[in-house]
């Protein structure tokens, strides 16, 4: 079976543009790793406004919120922000 499709929110892509090249590359690599095996990258869980499970992975100084849409075979990167701030 192939890896799920990786979908990244446009606001996440805009945030990436503000980072140094190395940070961009590190986060993109992490996004791909999450997509390949989402269950291994859940450091804690939150719920969105619809009550869906949203996983959060801390990678270096960033917190990455993602949703493993298992039924559609998508992993959706919803948000990235500094890990010491809530969003």
């Amino acid at each position: 079976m192939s890896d799920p499709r990786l979908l990244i929110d446009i606001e996440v892509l805009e945030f990436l543009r503000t980072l140094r090249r190395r940070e961009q590359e590190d986060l993109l690599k992490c996004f791909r790793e999450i997509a390949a095996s989402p269950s291994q990258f859940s450091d804690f869980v939150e719920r969105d406004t619809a009550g869906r499970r949203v996983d959060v992975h801390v990678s270096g100084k960033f917190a990455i919120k993602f949703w493993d849409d298992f039924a559609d075979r998508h992993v959706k990167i919803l948000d990235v922000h500094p890990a010491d701030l809530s969003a």
Side-chain angles (χ1 to χ4, degrees), residues 2 17 47 54 79:
S2 64
R17 292 179 57 202
R47 297 284 171 185
V54 175
D79 184 48

Side-chain angles (χ1 to χ4, degrees), residues 10-43:
I10 190 71
E11 291 177 4
V12 171
L13 294 175
E14 290 171 356
F15 174 73
L16 286 178
R17 292 179 57 202
T18 70
L19 302 176
R20 291 176 293 177
R21 181 75 166 176
R22 179 66 185 175
E23 290 174 318
Q24 292 175 15
E25 291 170 356
D26 289 347
L27 282 169
L28 288 171
K29 179 179 183 260
C30 188
F31 296 167
R32 289 183 190 100
E33 291 170 346
I34 290 170
S37 188
S39 64
Q40 293 183 8
F41 288 91
S42 181
D43 294 322

